[in-house]
Structures are given as structure tokens and as C-alpha cells.
């Protein structure tokens, strides 16, 4: 998808910068997951490196370097080569940053500019962030960096201070519903409506909801938040809906669903529930940041999420008890 309705302001700012006297060399593309930041980064990079009179390739561009998660091991690398789904490493490594920096010692291939996209920059390991900082402090001539991030506060302050921020707003429910109707015509209207309600303004989250068939998970989460779970029955229902062996993407979606449900419950909650909802939401935000890099047991992680939700509803037992 390239025509994102929430990109208008970002395009205006980006094109003003390209047409200005001095283009900033570092950019942070910030906003929650599922807002099209990667699509924007690729399209913006192509505009940046294109020069009049120089033919541009339609496929991969030699002057656009994209760093993201690599396959986890040789087996997963073979899956990628075969066009199959594959598991990835938890982090963008310092070796990837150093290999990119080695490429920057040569001139761009086609024109005078080169773009480096790091997505998600949140997932750089510490050494990678420190290595990147050196390039941001002394950028090679004609090189520009686009850091795609879902949590800009997770970047090093020194990286943030050297980059210009582009923020991407959430989409309206109407815009998400319109897109889902065209992409998922075979899915029931009820299921699409639930996906919109749970998406929290993120088209990517809504698409993932339908692709991963998260309706049962959403219903279990809603029940936990509304009723608590003194008899532990609803916790078991959530575990069953998530499945015995959820992959990392499914667990990310479950955490985001839980977080979004709590955020939507707050305005209508009783005053005595506010502190519990806010505290549980904060802990889910922490879990969301830790999940990509920590080796959590999926069963224990689902139990932790369920306990946080039950506590937010007024359950007496502590989440870590």
C-alpha cells in the first residue's frame, strides 16, 4: 500500500526539505506500528536519490540501503530465499551497521546521493546504536539516514538529537474500515468491525488482526478487563485462544490488543478503576518493549498478560504473584 491518507503532512515536510538549501542528513520516522512508515521511507528515499537525466531502476536501488532483521539462522535464510515465511533475529546487529558503514566509504552508484533506511531502529542492539552514532556525527557526503521507529524514546538521546523528527498520525476508524473492506471482502462485516475497534488507529494492527484470526483473543481480553477472573477461567480461555505455540508476531499482536483494550476502557471506567487500568497499561507497554529481545516463555507471557488484565478489572491477586 503506497497511498496512505495519514502521510500528507509528512510528505509536505519532506519535500520542503529536499527543495531547501540544506537537507538534514538524519531523519526519524516516528509513530505506532502499522502506519505505513516503511512504505514512506522507501518512497522518500527514491525521491531523494533520483536525479534528473539519470535513469532509475524499478526494483532494488543500488543507492538505497535497507537494514532490518536478518533470518535467525541458515535454515531460516533458506526459507527466505525460497520466498517462504521465516523467523528473524531479535536485533539489528552491530555487524550490520559496520557492513553498511563500509559501503559508505565508496561513492554512490548512480548519482550523488545515497539513503540508508533502518527499520525498526528501535531494535538495534546497543553496540549497533553506538556505531550508528558515529555516522550521524560525521555523515559521509551525500548520505542520508531514515530511522523508522515505533518508540522514539527507545533510541539513544544522542541519536535523537542529531535527527529531524517526522511524526505519523493514527488513521481514522473510517479510513481503516474502508481499506479492510477492499482487502478482506470475504471476511464478515462483524469481524472487520472488531478489527477496526481493536486497531487503535493502526491499519497494520487491523490487518494483522484479520490475518492472524484474533477474534477469539480479543473477546477473551475484553472479558478479562470487564469481569476480572477470580476463578481463573478466563485466563485459560485467553491461553486457549492464543494457542500453544504462538510465534513472536502473534505475541506482539496479543500484547498490543491488550494494551489497546485497556486504553479504550479508561474513559468509561469507574474512578476507583483508573489507577489499576493505568498501571496495567504501563506494564503492558514495558512488555511490548521487552518481548522482541527477551526470551520469554510464551505460556508464561500469556499468563502475565492475563493477570495484568484481571488486576486492572479489580482482581485481588498481584500480577506477579
Amino acid at each position: 500500500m503506497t497511498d496512505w491518507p495519514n502521510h500528507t503532512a509528512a510528505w509536505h515536510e519532506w519535500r520542503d526539505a529536499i527543495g531547501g538549501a540544506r537537507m538534514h542528513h538524519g531523519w526519524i520516522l516516528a509513530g505506532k506500528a502499522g502506519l505505513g512508515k516503511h512504505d514512506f521511507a522507501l518512497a522518500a528515499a527514491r525521491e531523494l536519490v533520483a536525479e534528473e537525466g539519470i535513469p532509475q531502476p524499478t526494483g532494488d536501488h543500488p543507492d538505497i540501503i535497507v537494514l532490518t532483521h536478518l533470518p535467525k539462522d541458515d535454515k531460516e535464510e533458506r526459507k527466505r530465499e525460497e520466498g517462504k515465511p521465516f523467523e528473524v533475529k531479535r536485533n539489528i546487529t552491530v555487524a550490520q551497521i559496520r557492513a553498511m558503514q563500509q559501503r559508505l566509504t565508496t561513492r554512490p552508484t548512480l548519482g550523488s546521493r545515497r539513503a540508508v533506511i533502518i527499520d525498526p531502529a528501535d531494535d538495534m542492539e546497543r553496540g549497533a546504536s553506538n556505531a550508528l552514532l558515529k555516522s550521524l556525527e560525521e555523515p559521509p557526503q551525500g548520505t542520508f539516514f531514515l530511522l523508522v521507529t515505533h518508540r522514539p524514546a527507545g533510541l539513544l538521546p544522542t541519536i535523537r538529537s542529531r535527527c529531524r523528527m517526522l511524526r505519523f498520525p493514527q488513521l481514522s476508524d473510517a479510513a481503516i474500515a474502508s481499506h479492510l473492506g477492499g482487502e478482506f471482502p470475504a471476511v464478515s462485516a462483524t469481524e472487520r468491525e472488531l478489527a477496526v475497534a481493536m486497531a487503535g488507529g493502526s491499519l497494520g494492527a487491523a490487518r494483522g488482526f484479520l490475518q492472524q484470526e484474533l477474534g477469539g483473543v480479543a473477546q477473551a481480553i475484553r472479558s478479562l478487563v470487564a469481569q476480572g477472573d477470580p476463578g481463573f477461567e478466563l485466563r485459560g480461555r485467553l491461553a486457549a485462544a492464543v494457542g500453544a505455540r504462538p510465534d513472536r508476531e502473534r505475541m506482539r499482536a496479543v500484547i498490543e490488543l491488550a494494551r489497546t483494550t485497556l486504553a479504550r476502557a479508561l474513559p468509561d471506567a469507574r474512578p476507583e478503576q483508573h489507577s489499576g487500568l493505568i498501571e496495567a497499561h504501563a506494564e503492558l507497554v514495558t512488555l511490548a518493549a521487552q518481548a522482541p529481545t527477551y526470551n520469554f516463555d510464551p505460556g508464561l507471557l500469556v499468563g502475565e498478560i492475563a493477570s495484568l488484565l484481571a488486576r486492572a478489572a479489580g482482581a485481588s491477586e498481584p500480577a506477579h504473584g
Side-chain angles (χ1 to χ4, degrees), residues 82-245:
E82 295 168 1
K84 298 178 180 178
F86 59 93
E87 292 187 51
V88 298
K89 294 181 178 179
R90 292 190 178 91
N91 299 109
I92 295 172
T93 66
V94 64
Q96 290 175 264
I97 298 296
R98 289 175 176 162
M100 173 270 292
Q101 290 170 326
Q102 186 62 36
R103 289 183 62 179
L104 300 186
T105 61
T106 63
R107 292 178 56 84
T109 302
L110 298 181
S112 60
R113 289 177 167 179
R114 176 160 38 203
V116 178
I117 299 170
I118 303 178
D119 181 16
D122 317 75
D123 289 351
M124 287 188 293
E125 60 188 19
R126 184 75 179 193
S129 294
N130 289 328
L132 175 65
L133 183 58
K134 297 178 181 178
S135 293
L136 291 172
E137 290 173 337
E138 300 180 11
Q141 181 70 29
T143 297
F144 300 85
F145 296 87
L146 292 86
L147 311 184
V148 177
T149 174
H150 313 318
R151 304 181 307 276
L155 298 176
L156 292 177
T158 43
I159 288 179
R160 297 199 305 270
S161 68
R162 285 165 174 77
C163 294
R164 182 169 168 178
M165 187 85 70
L166 273 183
R167 295 194 179 274
F168 290 76
Q170 298 175 20
L171 285 85
S172 69
D173 286 356
I176 296 175
S178 176
H179 182 82
L180 295 182
E183 186 176 358
F184 299 92
V187 174
S188 71
T190 300
E191 194 76 2
R192 292 200 302 269
E193 288 171 5
L194 182 57
V196 171
M198 303 302 292
S202 166
L203 175 58
R207 296 172 73 185
F209 183 98
L210 296 179
Q211 290 164 347
Q212 297 228 28
E213 299 180 346
L214 292 171
V217 174
Q219 295 291 359
I221 287 173
R222 283 179 162 184
S223 296
L224 275 163
V225 173
Q227 304 170 30
D229 191 25
F232 287 80
E233 177 185 351
L234 294 179
R235 274 169 257 225
R237 189 181 302 174
L238 176 60
V242 172
R245 300 182 64 182

Side-chain angles (χ1 to χ4, degrees), residues 174-321:
I176 296 175
S178 176
H179 182 82
L180 295 182
E183 186 176 358
F184 299 92
V187 174
S188 71
T190 300
E191 194 76 2
R192 292 200 302 269
E193 288 171 5
L194 182 57
V196 171
M198 303 302 292
S202 166
L203 175 58
R207 296 172 73 185
F209 183 98
L210 296 179
Q211 290 164 347
Q212 297 228 28
E213 299 180 346
L214 292 171
V217 174
Q219 295 291 359
I221 287 173
R222 283 179 162 184
S223 296
L224 275 163
V225 173
Q227 304 170 30
D229 191 25
F232 287 80
E233 177 185 351
L234 294 179
R235 274 169 257 225
R237 189 181 302 174
L238 176 60
V242 172
R245 300 182 64 182
D247 60 21
R248 189 180 304 164
E249 288 306 309
R250 188 169 180 82
M251 284 310 309
R252 280 186 177 183
V254 171
I255 295 172
E256 182 61 18
L257 274 175
R259 189 202 62 77
T260 300
T261 302
L262 289 178
R264 286 179 173 255
L266 186 60
D268 297 324
R270 300 188 304 275
E272 61 269 23
Q273 289 182 302
H274 286 181
S275 61
L277 288 167
I278 293 169
E279 182 180 345
H281 185 276
E283 294 198 38
L284 284 168
V285 170
T286 300
L287 276 180
Q290 294 173 343
T293 55
Y294 285 45
N295 190 25
F296 288 117
D297 175 87
L300 293 177
L301 183 55
V302 172
E304 174 72 3
I305 294 166
S307 291
L308 284 170
L309 296 173
R311 185 178 70 182
S316 58
E317 75 280 358
H320 299 280

